[in-house]
Amino acid sequence: MSTARDLILVVLGLPAERPTAQGDLSLALAGAEAIDLLEKGMLTLDGDRMVPGPEPTTGDRLLDAAAASLTRREPYDTVAEWLWRRGTGLAAAYAGDLERDGLVRQPRGHFGFRYGDTVLVDSPAHRAAEARRADREPVLAALLAATGIEGESDEAVESLSGDAVTTVLAAVGDVVTQLEAVRLRRDVEHAAFDNVWRA
């Protein structure tokens, strides 16, 4: 299983009262894909620039799509640029992929991904993802922390070897923070607009 699939299986297995914003999850999934590509030798980093490697197929449709989406001409994408681009709608894509594989079910008559509506099927894949979470595997722990599911992941990140993985995790944290700032600004603007109409 890929890190991204483990991440979404853990998130979908959470109680409905602990929702995760789809945007945050999508960005973390893109980060998980980048880390899997690094580990497979399909990607290297030059500073924070993503330098694509060979494009062998992995057997994972979404991970292959992630590899294909890497910019293959200089200047290469920064990690943050790629996370924003690749992360668009990625949570829904993974939920759909899990549904095709029989790992989740949608309620009858429901289309699209809405957190809390998706029913996770008990499966070896889900149990393996939960075991990885219970073991506090550093990459998964850091990604869960970035989405606000787990607590701070400083200890997990410190135990990682490799600057490239640490760079990706730091970029995930940064873009999730930026997304939250955009949400807050939008909320303030909407509140101000509502106040003008009430006045």
Side-chain angles (χ1 to χ4, degrees):
M1 291 293 281
S2 72
T3 301
R5 281 169 71 93
D6 284 349
L7 175 61
I8 195 163
L9 284 167
V10 167
V11 171
L12 292 177
L14 293 172
E17 59 269 15
R18 291 184 61 191
T20 302
Q22 273 195 60
D24 296 355
L25 177 57
S26 290
L27 291 168
L29 287 167
E33 289 180 334
I35 290 167
D36 286 340
L37 292 174
L38 285 166
E39 290 175 352
K40 292 180 181 300
M42 299 167 72
L43 169 68
T44 57
L45 294 188
D46 181 5
D48 69 342
R49 295 275 170 186
M50 301 180 78
V51 181
E55 265 191 284
T57 56
T58 64
D60 181 320
R61 186 181 67 81
L62 287 169
L63 194 56
D64 288 343
S69 75
L70 294 169
T71 300
R72 298 198 166 263
R73 291 193 304 270
E74 293 190 49
Y76 302 116
D77 286 332
T78 65
V79 177
E81 289 167 346
W82 187 80
L83 291 173
W84 283 115
R85 183 164 49 81
R86 176 64 185 158
T88 303
L90 201 54
Y94 268 92
D97 202 55
L98 293 177
E99 186 176 10
R100 275 188 293 278
D101 290 347
L103 297 175
V104 298
R105 290 191 313 268
Q106 300 286 357
R108 187 180 300 276
H110 177 78
F111 299 98
F113 172 65
R114 271 201 345 228
Y115 186 85
D117 289 338
T118 304
V119 179
L120 198 57
V121 174
D122 182 41
S123 65
H126 180 228
R127 289 192 293 276
E130 287 295 344
R132 189 174 175 186
R133 177 190 183 194
D135 290 343
R136 299 286 298 158
E137 190 278 323
V139 169
L140 186 61
L143 291 166
L144 289 167
T147 59
I149 292 168
E150 301 281 332
E152 290 301 317
S153 63
D154 293 343
E155 288 179 21
V157 172
E158 284 172 14
S159 70
L160 289 168
S161 58
D163 290 341
V165 171
T166 306
T167 298
V168 171
L169 290 172
V172 171
D174 289 346
V175 295
V176 169
T177 300
Q178 290 169 23
L179 182 57
E180 181 59 24
V182 169
R183 283 194 201 104
L184 291 172
R185 188 168 59 247
R186 194 174 299 147
D187 289 347
V188 168
E189 289 169 355
H190 286 162
F193 184 76
D194 290 344
N195 287 338
V196 167
W197 278 102
R198 277 195 216 105

